[in-house]
Amino acid sequence: MTDAESIEATILRLCAERGAGKSICPSEVARAIAGPDETVWRLLMRPVREAAFRLAREGRLQVLRKGRPIAPEQARGVIRLTLGSTS
């Protein structure tokens, strides 16, 4: 399994590649790490979300729900990730 630091680095890299004002789906991170096989990348979804929440708590990432910033503790269902300001 992929370690948390690798997952965090992949999240930040994909967000930076997407660019300012754009967001990514956590599944994009899982696919980038595990490849296109759904049975494999789905196993990474929980670790990816947990890594994203850690980054958000550190102020390095923003979690979005329906296009609006939310606290990691409020994240339920479909979320997106962006490097936008967390202030």
Side-chain angles (χ1 to χ4, degrees):
M1 191 60 73
T2 303
D3 65 88
E5 286 182 9
S6 296
I7 293 172
E8 289 177 3
T10 303
I11 292 169
L12 294 172
R13 178 179 57 81
L14 291 176
C15 283
E17 287 173 1
R18 185 63 49 95
K22 306 285 183 176
S23 63
I24 64 168
C25 179
S27 67
E28 292 177 60
V29 178
R31 287 184 188 107
I33 294 168
D37 184 345
E38 185 175 358
T39 59
V40 178
W41 67 256
R42 283 212 177 265
L43 296 174
L44 283 176
M45 288 302 294
R46 180 180 294 255
V48 166
R49 288 173 66 103
E50 289 171 355
F53 299 156
R54 276 192 305 278
L55 290 168
R57 284 187 209 91
E58 293 171 4
R60 300 171 63 196
L61 185 78
Q62 195 170 51
V63 178
L64 305 175
R65 173 97 170 120
K66 297 184 179 181
R68 294 194 173 110
I70 60 168
E73 298 77 28
Q74 298 173 318
R76 302 285 184 272
V78 178
I79 61 169
R80 305 247 340 145
L81 309 172
T82 185
L83 291 179
S85 172
T86 58
S87 54

